[in-house]
Amino acid sequence: MPAASSSFDTVVDERGIFTDYAYFSSMSSTWLDHAARFCADVTRRLALGPGSFVVEVASNDGYLLRNFVAAGIPCLGIEPAANVAAIARAAGVPTEACFFGRDAARDILGTRGGRPADLVVANNVLAHVPDLDDFIGGLALLAGPRGVVSIEAPHLVALVDGVQFDTIYHEHYAYWSLLAMEAALARQGLRVFDVERLATHGGSLRVFSAAADHPPSTALLALRAEEAGRGVGGDAFYSGFGPRVRAVLDGLRAWLDGCVAEGRRVCAYGAAAKGNTLLNAAGVSAAEILAVADRSSAKQGRLLPGSRIPVVSPAAMLALRPDDVLILPWNIEAEVAGQLRTAGFAGRLAIAVPRLILRDAPV
C-alpha cells in the first residue's frame, strides 16, 4: 500500500510506523470495557452467531475480537504490526499480520470460498490510512452485498471544539467529519445508514455503512444537519484554532514554570503520541518533568522523543515522590486518576487540554 504524496505535506511511510508498534489497546480498562459493550450490542443488532463471520481491521492485540471468540462467533483480525499480532494469536484470537487493502481482502475471501463477512470492524484506524480508496475498497469487498461495515473515528468537530491539537501528529493522515467519511465511503459503494456519538477520544463517531440500501436513521439525519449548520465544509469553521492552541500551550508552560520556581516535583502519566506532541509543542524537557509513567513494558526504559524524558513504570514514577502528575492521555483521565489514587498518590493531578485543570486529592 504506497504512501500518499502531496505538494503541501510530508507524509510518513506507514510501514515505518506500524510494522513494529508499541501501543497495546488492552493496557486500558476503558478500552476493554468499550470494546465489550460494542461487541454485545452489535451481536444483538445483527443477530450474529456461530454461523457468522466477523473481521476487524487494525485489530491490535485482540482486545475487541476476544469478545467474539468467547461468544463462539468466528472472527479474524488483520494487524500490520507483527509483534502485536503475535500477542493476539497467543491470546487465542486468529490474526493475520499484514497491511490491509483490496489485495488483502481478496486473499481473505479466497480462503473462505468467496463468502463475505457479516461484520467488518475498523475502529480508530481510518485516520492512519494514506491510501483511502484502497483501504475502504477492501472493506467494501469484505462486506460484500449484505455485510455491515462499522467504523469508529475521532470526530473532527470535537477536535476543533476541544482544542485537541495534540492528536495531530505523524501517525494520522486525516481527521474525520461525517461529511468527509460519507463521501469517502460512497466512492467505494458503501452507504452510511446510522451513526452513534461516542465519548471516546474526547468525542468520536461510530458510523455504520453497507452496500445494501438501508433507510437513514434519525441520528444520521440530525448529525448531517448539525455539521452543515456548523459549516464544517468551509474554511470559517476552523478560524481561530491556532490562537486557541497557543493559549493551551501558554497555560501549560506557565504552570510548569511556576512549579519549577516553587520547587515542586512534577511527573507525567501516559507515554502516548498525543502526550509527546503536547510536550514538544510546549518545549517541555526533563528539567521540568522528571519521568513519564506507562503501564506498557514495551515503552519503559526508553526516552520520549524530543523532550528526552525517561519512561518508567507507574511504581517507579511514584517512587520519585512527585507533588504533581500531569495526565497526558486526557481521554482516559478518570481511569488514570483512579489507578493513581488507589496506588496512594495524594498530590495534584493535572490535564492541559482543552485548558489547564488541577485536581487535588479527595479529602
Side-chain angles (χ1 to χ4, degrees):
M1 191 164 65
S5 62
S6 169
S7 59
F8 300 101
D9 298 316
T10 297
V11 178
V12 181
D13 178 10
E14 77 278 10
R15 295 183 183 276
I17 303 173
F18 301 114
T19 300
D20 184 74
Y21 204 44
Y23 176 78
F24 300 94
S25 298
S26 61
M27 289 289 103
S28 169
S29 60
T30 299
W31 285 111
L32 292 176
D33 293 344
H34 174 72
R37 288 193 299 271
F38 166 74
C39 293
D41 291 346
V42 80
T43 295
R44 287 192 295 269
R45 178 172 184 167
L46 301 183
L48 301 175
S52 306
F53 183 51
V54 175
V55 177
E56 184 185 13
V57 180
S59 53
N60 202 262
D61 57 8
Y63 78 105
L64 184 146
L65 287 180
R66 68 189 194 180
N67 294 283
F68 290 116
V69 171
I73 299 172
C75 61
L76 176 68
I78 306 297
E79 171 54 48
N83 64 314
V84 181
I87 292 172
R89 286 193 292 267
V93 177
T95 305
E96 295 289 337
C98 66
F99 282 86
F100 183 76
R102 292 188 182 95
D103 288 345
R106 293 186 187 101
D107 289 343
I108 295 168
L109 292 171
T111 63
R112 293 177 46 78
R115 181 188 168 187
D118 299 278
L119 171 66
V120 181
V121 181
N123 286 352
N124 298 300
V125 61
L126 204 60
H128 299 263
V129 175
D131 189 338
L132 283 171
D133 287 340
D134 185 50
F135 183 87
I136 297 175
L139 299 179
L141 283 173
L142 270 185
R146 289 180 297 277
V148 170
V149 176
S150 175
I151 296 173
E152 289 183 22
H155 192 194
L156 178 63
V157 172
L159 185 155
V160 173
D161 288 349
V163 206
Q164 298 166 8
F165 69 96
D166 53 343
T167 65
I168 302 172
Y169 51 83
H170 68 293
E171 289 184 18
H172 293 159
Y173 299 94
Y175 306 88
W176 289 96
S177 61
L178 175 66
L179 175 69
M181 197 182 302
E182 285 205 84
L185 291 167
R187 286 201 303 269
Q188 306 304 321
L190 292 171
R191 302 179 181 88
V192 174
F193 62 87
D194 195 12
V195 63
E196 298 175 15
R197 303 184 198 223
L198 309 172
T200 54
H201 285 301
S204 295
L205 301 179
R206 178 182 291 148
V207 174
F208 293 95
S209 66
D213 194 13
H214 297 268
S217 69
T218 301
L220 175 60
L221 296 175
L223 186 53
R224 282 176 181 166
E226 179 183 320
E227 287 196 352
R230 294 287 304 273
V232 169
D235 292 345
F237 175 73
Y238 308 93
S239 65
F241 187 69
R244 294 168 65 210
V245 170
R246 186 71 260 166
V248 171
L249 296 175
D250 290 345
L252 174 60
R253 188 70 265 163
W255 174 65
L256 286 173
D257 290 344
C259 288
V260 170
E262 296 170 14
R264 299 183 68 86
R265 297 170 64 82
V266 181
C267 289
Y269 191 104
K274 60 160 55 73
N276 199 56
T277 300
L278 171 69
L279 295 178
N280 282 319
V284 178
S285 71
E288 297 138 323
I289 292 183
L290 303 176
V292 175
D294 201 283
R295 292 177 62 192
S296 173
S297 59
K299 297 181 181 181
Q300 295 164 11
R302 299 171 182 261
L303 300 175
L304 288 185
S307 66
R308 308 289 289 175
I309 300 170
V311 182
V312 301
S313 69
M317 184 268 287
L318 291 174
L320 293 173
R321 303 181 65 82
D323 299 298
D324 304 287
V325 175
L326 173 64
I327 299 175
L328 297 173
W330 43 261
N331 54 310
I332 55 170
E333 177 195 356
E335 175 185 338
V336 173
Q339 292 171 1
L340 291 173
R341 296 307 188 199
T342 299
F345 178 67
R348 293 188 305 188
L349 296 174
I351 59 169
V353 177
R355 65 189 182 281
L356 186 74
I357 298 174
L358 299 174
R359 305 192 194 281
D360 293 318
V363 178

